[in-house]
Amino acid sequence: MMMDREALLRHGEDLAAEMMNKRIKETHKDLRKTVEGLVTRGATALGPAVSVSLGLASKGAPGSQIVVCTDGLANQGIGSFGFYGEGAAGASKFYEEIGLYAQEHALTVNVISIIGADCKLEALSKLSELTGGTVERVDPQNLDENFREIFANKSI
């Protein structure tokens, strides 16, 4: 499934049917627990994560936003650079195609990367360019300040 964009998008859509009928005040404790329980395991499955997220968001209101945060190179599943399929060219094509999917569904994708991390930002930035999102590079020494500024912008 990690290499099947359509299956990943459908999985996100299925999750939306299950999860998006509740209000934040009903789900925030579970969401917080899930986020706090996340641990890194060395691989970055950025393409699969973006695909599932876009599938989920496509069932929300037009204008929904996704924030992609990465500190490294996508190296697992679809959209990985140099490890599967067509390598960097295939990964760049994937991010452009998935950006067009987001554009068609009136979704905005913002990309945040860590300064000094090699994440192939030129390919990932296609997501933001196609959807009217932003690309931010944040200093790992000042993450709390950077994120406070990014999320201080009023959401509509």
Side-chain angles (χ1 to χ4, degrees):
M1 183 162 145
M2 293 273 284
M3 295 300 292
D4 185 341
R5 183 184 69 168
E6 294 306 316
L8 291 162
L9 288 166
R10 278 192 310 276
H11 181 63
E13 292 170 0
D14 293 344
L15 287 172
E18 174 186 328
M19 303 168 77
M20 292 186 65
N21 58 355
K22 297 180 182 176
R23 298 169 154 253
I24 286 289
K25 74 179 193 177
E26 298 172 278
T27 62
H28 77 279
K29 288 180 184 174
D30 289 336
L31 179 60
R32 182 180 200 104
K33 183 179 175 183
T34 299
V35 170
E36 289 174 351
L38 293 174
V39 293
T40 60
R41 293 200 175 104
T44 302
L46 192 63
V50 168
S51 298
V52 171
S53 297
L54 287 172
L56 194 141
S58 72
K59 297 302 180 187
S64 294
Q65 294 190 41
I66 293 172
V67 178
V68 175
C69 302
T70 186
D71 66 348
L73 189 65
N75 58 9
Q76 236 10 59
I78 195 165
S80 62
F81 294 91
F83 298 99
Y84 298 99
E86 301 169 28
S92 293
K93 181 179 177 186
F94 165 78
Y95 290 107
E96 185 167 350
E97 289 173 352
I98 203 76
L100 290 170
Y101 173 91
Q103 185 183 63
E104 290 168 11
H105 288 83
L107 303 172
T108 301
V109 181
N110 301 292
V111 177
I112 299 172
S113 73
I114 304 295
I115 293 172
D118 178 21
C119 64
K120 301 284 188 204
L121 200 54
E122 64 278 1
L124 297 179
S125 66
K126 283 285 186 195
L127 291 167
S128 297
E129 289 172 22
L130 290 166
T131 64
T134 61
V135 176
E136 298 280 339
R137 301 198 68 217
V138 297
D139 181 348
Q141 301 298 318
N142 299 317
L143 281 180
D144 59 338
E145 183 179 315
N146 292 133
F147 277 91
R148 193 174 14 254
E149 289 174 16
I150 290 166
F151 293 115
N153 296 331
K154 184 177 179 180
S155 296
I156 299 174

